[in-house]
Every structure is written in C-alpha cells, then in structure tokens.
Amino acid sequence: MIERIYLLENVDPLMFYGVNNTHLQLIKNLFPKLRIVARGNVMKVIGEEEESELFLKRIREIEKYCESYNNVTEDVIIDIVKGEPVPMEKPVDIIIYGMNGKPIMARSENQKKLVKSFDEHDLVFAVGPAGTGKTFVAIALAVRALKNRQARRLILSRPAVEAGEKLGFLPGEMKDKLDPYLQPLYDALQEMIPAAKLKEYIENSTIQIAPLAFMRGRTLNDAVIILDEAQNTTTHQIKMFLTRLGTNAKMIVTGDTTQIDLPPTSKSGLVQAMEILEHVPEIGRVKFGKKDIVRHRLVQRIVEAYEKRIEN
C-alpha cells in the first residue's frame, strides 16, 4: 500500500468535486479499491501502486477537461475513467468556455476581426460604441492566453475619470473609491474564471486590475495588457501606457470616442494616439459600429437615437 498526493492547480475544487461532492463520490465509486480523501485542492489516495497510478492519470485528464471547458459532467468523468475518448477540440469561433461551460465566442464580424488582429499583432486598438463587446472579447482573449500558458499574467486598467460624479465624495479608502471604476473588468472576469481561482489569481498578482496611474514606471513583460475606456486618457497618459509594452507581451486598447468624459479643453489621448500611429503597420485596428451591438436590442436603438440627435 502506498500513499500519493495530487494537487488541483488549474481548476476550482468546488467545480471539480461537484455540488455536494457528487463528482468526488462518483470518482470514489469508480475506484473502489482505493481510499480517497480530498480537502481543498489536495487529494490523497491510498492503495496499490498500479491502481493509484491509474487514478492519478485519470484525475489529470479530468482536471485538463475541467480547465478547458470550465465544467465537467458525470458522463464525462465516467468516460475518462473508463479510458473512452473525450473530444477536447474547441469549435473555431469559441474563444474560451466561461462559467458552467458557457461558450464565449466572437458573435459579430468585427469581434472576429478583433480575435484575428490579436493573434497577428502585439498592439490592437478596438474602438466603437457601448455594447459591441469589445472589452468582453478583449478580456476573453487575455484569459485564453493565460490558460494556454502564452502569458504569465493579465494586467487590466482603466483611467479613473469621473462621469458626472466626484471621486473625492465617494466613501471609503482609496481602494474603495477606485473599485467602482474597475468593477466592469471584475464583472467580465467573473463570467470566465471560477470565483476561488479568480481570487487566487488576484492575490498572487497573476491578474492585476488597477487604475491607469498605477502603470507609470513599469515594463510589462510576458503579459496581456488591456486598457479600457481609453477615450478618457490624456495625451501623456496614453503615451505612458503604450510605452509600457515589454517583451513577449500583447496589448489591447479599447474605447468609445462618443463617450469622452474629459474636460472640454482636453483632447482625448485615444483619438490623438490613433491619428499619430495611423501609419504604423504593426498595429492592429478594429472599428466597431452600431451593427455590432450585442447587448439588449434596445441598446442599438438608444445609440441610433443619440446619433440622430447629434446630427440634427
């Protein structure tokens, strides 16, 4: 009899073990000759060496499936333990699988262009109106790069610019004041990464979510870096951000030039950067339009109504 330890490193143990440990109980039933104990991300197995080795091999395969699809079913567990082939290839348009195995894919032509541009360029500008999914797709691409070991960390940033509200009057310490500006980034990540794993990533700085001012002086290597709401950057801020790009790194800059919250005397750094860098061939550019809006159908109507009002 030997004792072996296995660490679940890439998946949320709660998802792996199932609701009320149903998946864990199934695994125990499929390996009746072994004594299996699980606590947190640690699994301990006691039994004969050959049976224990088979158990560890199958657990690795189940974990790999979980990591790829963000979900696992009892049927899949049974097939893997029995050695039956389980499809692991993703359909072409699927970027990653989100929570509960929900496929996250490019849903419009320009979203597909953003995916292609990210694969081909180290710096991509994605500009367009609200609801086109540019930020969500950008974050999905960043999470995919992290899962595929193409990047060691994700860095997500936004300028902390008031949209009709004053930062100083918000309650709490500085982190409490800034978190509302960064919440949309947390929201997107929570749809793609299990809560326990996301918390771990944030605590060990694999994922960093910070206001734009925190980027100064850094060189960002081996990372995917996203700047959201870039229309609210100044000329100096966006230049500072773009020059943080380090080796083996990719950067996506998103924004909506119709929603600039800067003072009237300030020119948007995003608008200026796109003009200055217009003829740099190594930079990808994707321009979203109202036809790309994938939120509630009313969002497209709202955008169209405001456009007509401005034209008149």
Side-chain angles (χ1 to χ4, degrees), residues 64-101:
K64 184 179 178 182
Y65 185 96
C66 267
E67 185 182 8
S68 295
Y69 290 94
N70 239 337
N71 193 31
V72 68
T73 65
E74 292 187 0
D75 288 342
V76 168
I77 292 172
I78 292 169
D79 285 344
I80 290 175
V81 170
K82 288 182 175 180
E84 299 289 341
V86 177
M88 293 291 288
E89 292 295 322
K90 296 186 183 76
V92 175
D93 287 341
I94 292 179
I95 302 170
I96 57 169
Y97 287 89
M99 294 303 298
N100 299 316

Side-chain angles (χ1 to χ4, degrees), residues 181-239:
Y181 292 97
L182 306 173
Q183 191 58 48
L185 304 179
Y186 287 105
D187 291 343
L189 287 169
Q190 286 165 357
E191 290 196 40
M192 304 176 197
I193 302 174
K197 196 66 183 175
L198 179 57
K199 182 181 178 184
E200 177 190 328
Y201 279 150
I202 291 173
E203 287 177 349
N204 65 20
S205 295
T206 299
I207 294 178
Q208 301 172 30
I209 305 174
L212 180 58
F214 286 56
M215 297 296 109
R216 189 173 298 279
R218 303 178 67 185
T219 300
L220 306 174
N221 301 320
D222 302 308
V224 178
I225 311 125
I226 296 174
L227 176 60
D228 190 34
E229 299 289 345
Q231 75 276 4
N232 288 328
T233 59
T234 65
T235 299
H236 295 299
Q237 284 176 329
I238 199 162
K239 181 183 176 185

Side-chain angles (χ1 to χ4, degrees), residues 290-307:
K290 58 191 176 188
K291 290 183 180 179
D292 296 302
I293 292 174
V294 291
R295 286 185 190 162
H296 194 286
R297 64 182 181 278
L298 278 177
V299 175
Q300 183 172 344
R301 302 280 191 272
I302 291 167
V303 171
E304 290 172 346
Y306 271 89
E307 285 181 352

Side-chain angles (χ1 to χ4, degrees), residues 117-124 225 245-246 248-252 282-284:
S117 190
F118 177 79
D119 291 338
E120 296 175 351
H121 301 93
D122 290 338
L123 171 59
V124 180
I225 311 125
L245 188 65
N248 192 34
K250 283 178 174 280
M251 183 178 284
I252 305 176
E282 293 89 353
I283 297 175

Side-chain angles (χ1 to χ4, degrees), residues 83-278:
E84 299 289 341
V86 177
M88 293 291 288
E89 292 295 322
K90 296 186 183 76
V92 175
D93 287 341
I94 292 179
I95 302 170
I96 57 169
Y97 287 89
M99 294 303 298
N100 299 316
K102 177 184 177 183
I104 294 173
M105 64 182 71
R107 295 170 58 188
S108 71
E109 283 306 310
N110 279 318
Q111 287 188 4
K112 292 175 183 176
K113 286 182 183 177
L114 177 54
V115 174
K116 187 172 187 290
S117 190
F118 177 79
D119 291 338
E120 296 175 351
H121 301 93
D122 290 338
L123 171 59
V124 180
F125 287 99
V127 179
T132 51
K134 54 191 184 296
T135 300
F136 192 77
V137 171
I139 292 176
L141 290 167
V143 172
R144 184 187 69 179
L146 185 65
K147 285 192 168 195
N148 292 345
R149 315 294 195 271
Q150 295 167 330
R152 287 194 299 108
R153 54 185 176 154
L154 309 185
I155 299 165
L156 314 178
S157 187
R158 272 186 157 203
V161 174
E162 294 97 343
E165 299 176 60
K166 294 297 181 184
L167 186 63
F169 287 102
L170 292 173
E173 300 297 325
M174 183 55 68
K175 182 182 183 300
D176 300 317
K177 293 174 185 289
L178 291 169
D179 271 354
Y181 292 97
L182 306 173
Q183 191 58 48
L185 304 179
Y186 287 105
D187 291 343
L189 287 169
Q190 286 165 357
E191 290 196 40
M192 304 176 197
I193 302 174
K197 196 66 183 175
L198 179 57
K199 182 181 178 184
E200 177 190 328
Y201 279 150
I202 291 173
E203 287 177 349
N204 65 20
S205 295
T206 299
I207 294 178
Q208 301 172 30
I209 305 174
L212 180 58
F214 286 56
M215 297 296 109
R216 189 173 298 279
R218 303 178 67 185
T219 300
L220 306 174
N221 301 320
D222 302 308
V224 178
I225 311 125
I226 296 174
L227 176 60
D228 190 34
E229 299 289 345
Q231 75 276 4
N232 288 328
T233 59
T234 65
T235 299
H236 295 299
Q237 284 176 329
I238 199 162
K239 181 183 176 185
M240 176 273 292
F241 183 84
L242 294 175
T243 54
R244 301 307 93 198
L245 188 65
T247 57
N248 192 34
K250 283 178 174 280
M251 183 178 284
I252 305 176
V253 177
T254 71
D256 177 1
T257 55
T258 67
Q259 294 191 37
I260 298 172
D261 298 315
L262 295 169
T265 54
S266 298
K267 184 170 183 178
S268 168
L270 174 62
V271 173
Q272 194 170 56
M274 292 184 70
E275 292 171 356
I276 293 170
L277 302 174
E278 182 179 3

